[in-house]
Amino acid sequence: FEAYVQAEDPDVICLQETKLDSTTLPLSKKSTPFKRVGILEDMGYKAYYNCSSSKKGYAGTAVFVKISGPLGLPIAVHKRVPGPSMEEANAEGRTLALEFAKLWIVNAYVPN
């Protein structure tokens, strides 16, 4: 995983079904079994997580933004989709939207 990230040098990495909960954050190289994800922070990425609040270790999304990248850091992070029909998805951490000066990045975990 690290070799791929180093070779491709992405500005943004979006992950779905992270199965993290707030007690496992922040991640690091020592976080087991999440050390491969946690190493991204050590590689110069700022991490943003949306964890399930309804079930521990369920669903979840994460976005990693290169701190020195061309986008800079987001001006806002949104973890909820508005509307009463979205309450279940919001509780499961299925969406994470990052608002930048010139664009938005929306990461959504939408299973079949």
Side-chain angles (χ1 to χ4, degrees):
F1 182 72
E2 300 96 298
Y4 173 79
V5 172
Q6 288 174 344
E8 295 301 320
D9 196 29
D11 296 320
V12 177
I13 300 168
C14 296
L15 301 176
Q16 301 83 32
E17 199 172 5
T18 59
K19 298 188 178 195
L20 299 173
D21 65 83
S22 60
T23 63
T24 60
L25 300 175
L27 300 175
S28 71
K29 288 187 280 189
K30 297 180 179 98
S31 299
T32 305
F34 306 108
K35 63 183 175 182
R36 296 218 183 269
V37 175
I39 200 167
L40 292 173
E41 293 178 354
D42 297 330
M43 295 172 69
Y45 290 86
K46 172 77 174 148
Y48 301 91
Y49 301 98
N50 192 5
C51 302
S52 174
S53 61
S54 63
K55 301 175 191 172
K56 185 176 180 177
Y58 184 74
T61 50
V63 177
F64 298 86
V65 179
K66 188 185 298 178
I67 294 170
S68 63
L71 295 174
L73 295 178
I75 56 177
V77 177
H78 306 273
K79 295 183 176 185
R80 301 183 60 77
V81 176
S85 65
M86 296 304 297
E87 288 308 312
E88 183 178 348
N90 286 334
E92 293 175 354
R94 293 185 181 269
T95 58
L96 188 55
L98 279 62
E99 179 182 354
F100 294 89
K102 295 185 178 185
L103 64 95
W104 283 65
I105 293 177
V106 178
N107 184 17
Y109 169 44
V110 184
N112 291 338

